[in-house]
Amino acid sequence: MDKYKKVINELIQFRNERDWEQFHDSKNLALAISLEASELNELFLWKKDSEVENVNHEKLKEELADVLSFAFLLAEKHDLDIFDIISEKIKKNALKYPVDKAKGTSTKYNEL
């Protein structure tokens, strides 16, 4: 079993043992991602540029794990393979942001 499937199975087992599937509809999973992402952002709140790369590593791991866990559960609910959808998105972004126009700039694709 690959690592991804192992993690998905662990998440589902954890959820099911607690009878939480009833709460894991698409809307609530999406909201949970947003809320956990806010907690992730809070780690960087009010930090100076020189401080942001030195954020508490353990808290970073915990908050990122929360975001990813809910994202994985949402993807699994809709039978989406995260590696496939990320690969597809990279290909779309490569068309939006060709290297010759986007390299070294953070300008949005429609402003290039």
Side-chain angles (χ1 to χ4, degrees), residues 12-29:
I12 291 169
Q13 179 180 349
F14 180 87
R15 177 198 67 196
N16 291 349
E17 287 174 347
R18 289 152 182 82
D19 194 27
W20 288 350
E21 185 175 10
Q22 62 183 314
F23 308 117
H24 286 190
D25 58 53
S26 297
K27 174 194 66 109
N28 283 313
L29 289 169

Side-chain angles (χ1 to χ4, degrees), residues 46-62:
W46 312 123
K47 300 273 193 276
K48 296 178 183 176
D49 288 345
S50 60
E51 299 172 318
V52 296
E53 300 305 329
N54 296 320
V55 69
N56 182 303
H57 202 254
E58 286 304 311
K59 289 181 181 179
L60 176 62
K61 287 182 353 184
E62 286 183 23

Side-chain angles (χ1 to χ4, degrees), residues 69-112:
S69 294
F70 287 121
F72 286 5
L73 286 169
L74 184 58
E76 188 273 335
K77 182 173 196 61
H78 291 276
D79 296 318
L80 300 171
D81 182 298
I82 61 162
F83 298 107
D84 289 344
I85 63 175
I86 292 171
S87 182
E88 289 172 18
K89 184 63 175 180
I90 291 169
K91 289 174 188 168
K92 286 181 183 180
N93 283 344
L95 295 174
K96 282 184 187 177
Y97 298 96
V99 173
D100 62 323
K101 292 183 179 178
K103 189 170 185 171
T105 182
S106 61
T107 305
K108 190 166 167 103
Y109 70 93
N110 59 357
E111 297 172 357
L112 291 173

Side-chain angles (χ1 to χ4, degrees), residues 33-47:
I33 293 167
S34 178
L35 293 169
E36 295 299 342
S38 293
E39 291 181 18
L40 177 64
N41 283 328
E42 190 175 23
L43 298 177
F44 300 97
L45 184 65
W46 312 123
K47 300 273 193 276

